[in-house]
Amino acid sequence: MPPDSLDAVWHATATWFDLQPDGTVTIVDHFDFYAAIDSLLLPSLTEGMPAVAIEAALSGVPTIATNVGAVGEIIVDHEAGTTVPADSLDDFLAA
Protein backbone atom coordinates (compact mmCIF):
# COMPACT_ATOMS: atom_id res chain seq x y z
CA MET A 1 0.00 0.00 0.00
CA PRO A 2 1.28 3.46 -0.75
CA PRO A 3 1.85 5.68 2.32
CA ASP A 4 -1.21 7.80 1.54
CA SER A 5 -3.37 4.65 1.63
CA LEU A 6 -1.96 3.64 5.02
CA ASP A 7 -2.68 7.13 6.26
CA ALA A 8 -6.27 6.85 5.03
CA VAL A 9 -6.66 3.50 6.79
CA TRP A 10 -5.27 4.96 10.02
CA HIS A 11 -7.66 7.92 9.92
CA ALA A 12 -10.62 5.68 9.11
CA THR A 13 -9.92 3.40 12.09
CA ALA A 14 -8.43 5.88 14.58
CA THR A 15 -11.85 6.80 15.99
CA TRP A 16 -12.23 3.25 17.33
CA PHE A 17 -9.02 3.34 19.37
CA ASP A 18 -7.97 5.32 22.42
CA LEU A 19 -4.19 5.56 22.87
CA GLN A 20 -3.23 6.05 26.52
CA PRO A 21 -0.06 7.88 27.70
CA ASP A 22 1.42 4.57 28.91
CA GLY A 23 1.15 3.15 25.38
CA THR A 24 -1.86 0.92 25.92
CA VAL A 25 -4.65 1.00 23.37
CA THR A 26 -8.30 0.37 24.07
CA ILE A 27 -11.09 -0.10 21.56
CA VAL A 28 -13.71 2.60 22.08
CA ASP A 29 -16.69 0.91 20.44
CA HIS A 30 -16.26 -2.83 19.96
CA PHE A 31 -19.32 -3.55 17.88
CA ASP A 32 -18.79 -0.67 15.44
CA PHE A 33 -15.26 -1.99 14.99
CA TYR A 34 -16.45 -5.54 14.27
CA ALA A 35 -19.13 -4.26 11.88
CA ALA A 36 -16.40 -2.61 9.81
CA ILE A 37 -14.15 -5.67 9.36
CA ASP A 38 -14.59 -8.77 7.19
CA SER A 39 -12.67 -11.19 9.39
CA LEU A 40 -10.45 -11.34 12.46
CA LEU A 41 -6.97 -12.89 12.42
CA LEU A 42 -5.69 -14.31 15.71
CA PRO A 43 -2.21 -15.83 15.14
CA SER A 44 -1.34 -16.65 18.75
CA LEU A 45 1.16 -19.15 20.09
CA THR A 46 -0.52 -19.12 23.51
CA GLU A 47 -3.97 -18.01 24.65
CA GLY A 48 -6.38 -18.46 27.49
CA MET A 49 -9.92 -17.69 26.42
CA PRO A 50 -9.55 -14.67 24.12
CA ALA A 51 -12.39 -12.18 24.53
CA VAL A 52 -11.66 -10.84 21.05
CA ALA A 53 -12.71 -14.19 19.52
CA ILE A 54 -15.92 -14.22 21.57
CA GLU A 55 -16.75 -10.64 20.58
CA ALA A 56 -16.10 -11.39 16.90
CA ALA A 57 -18.34 -14.47 17.04
CA LEU A 58 -21.13 -12.50 18.73
CA SER A 59 -20.78 -9.89 15.99
CA GLY A 60 -20.92 -12.47 13.20
CA VAL A 61 -17.33 -11.85 12.14
CA PRO A 62 -15.47 -15.05 11.20
CA THR A 63 -12.13 -15.59 12.92
CA ILE A 64 -9.07 -17.36 11.56
CA ALA A 65 -7.03 -18.41 14.57
CA THR A 66 -4.38 -20.78 15.75
CA ASN A 67 -5.86 -23.58 17.86
CA VAL A 68 -4.30 -22.82 21.24
CA GLY A 69 -5.83 -22.50 24.70
CA ALA A 70 -9.62 -22.33 24.58
CA VAL A 71 -9.72 -20.96 21.02
CA GLY A 72 -11.00 -24.28 19.67
CA GLU A 73 -13.95 -24.13 22.10
CA ILE A 74 -14.94 -20.66 20.87
CA ILE A 75 -14.34 -21.16 17.17
CA VAL A 76 -16.10 -24.29 16.03
CA ASP A 77 -14.73 -24.81 12.52
CA HIS A 78 -16.87 -23.25 9.83
CA GLU A 79 -19.39 -21.79 12.31
CA ALA A 80 -17.52 -18.88 13.91
CA GLY A 81 -14.41 -19.22 11.74
CA THR A 82 -11.52 -21.61 11.31
CA THR A 83 -8.70 -22.83 13.50
CA VAL A 84 -5.32 -24.05 12.31
CA PRO A 85 -2.35 -25.63 14.13
CA ALA A 86 -0.22 -23.03 15.93
CA ASP A 87 2.98 -24.37 14.41
CA SER A 88 1.86 -24.07 10.77
CA LEU A 89 2.25 -20.71 9.10
CA ASP A 90 1.31 -22.30 5.77
CA ASP A 91 -2.06 -23.47 7.15
CA PHE A 92 -2.71 -20.05 8.65
CA LEU A 93 -1.96 -18.30 5.36
CA ALA A 94 -4.08 -20.79 3.41
CA ALA A 95 -7.09 -20.33 5.70
Side-chain angles (χ1 to χ4, degrees):
M1 254 188 224
D4 59 326
S5 296
L6 289 175
D7 190 52
V9 169
W10 169 252
H11 287 294
T13 60
T15 57
W16 295 318
F17 300 100
D18 184 18
L19 179 61
Q20 301 297 315
D22 67 357
T24 59
V25 177
T26 57
I27 297 176
V28 175
D29 190 337
H30 293 75
F31 294 105
D32 281 348
F33 174 75
Y34 291 113
I37 62 174
D38 296 323
S39 61
L40 176 73
L41 304 179
L42 188 62
S44 300
L45 294 176
T46 61
E47 279 291 347
M49 181 168 283
V52 67
I54 296 168
E55 293 166 353
L58 290 172
S59 299
V61 174
T63 298
I64 299 170
T66 49
N67 195 4
V68 295
V71 171
E73 296 174 33
I74 299 166
I75 303 169
V76 178
D77 279 343
H78 308 293
E79 288 182 23
T82 298
T83 60
V84 298
D87 61 352
S88 179
L89 177 60
D90 290 336
D91 287 343
F92 191 81
L93 294 174

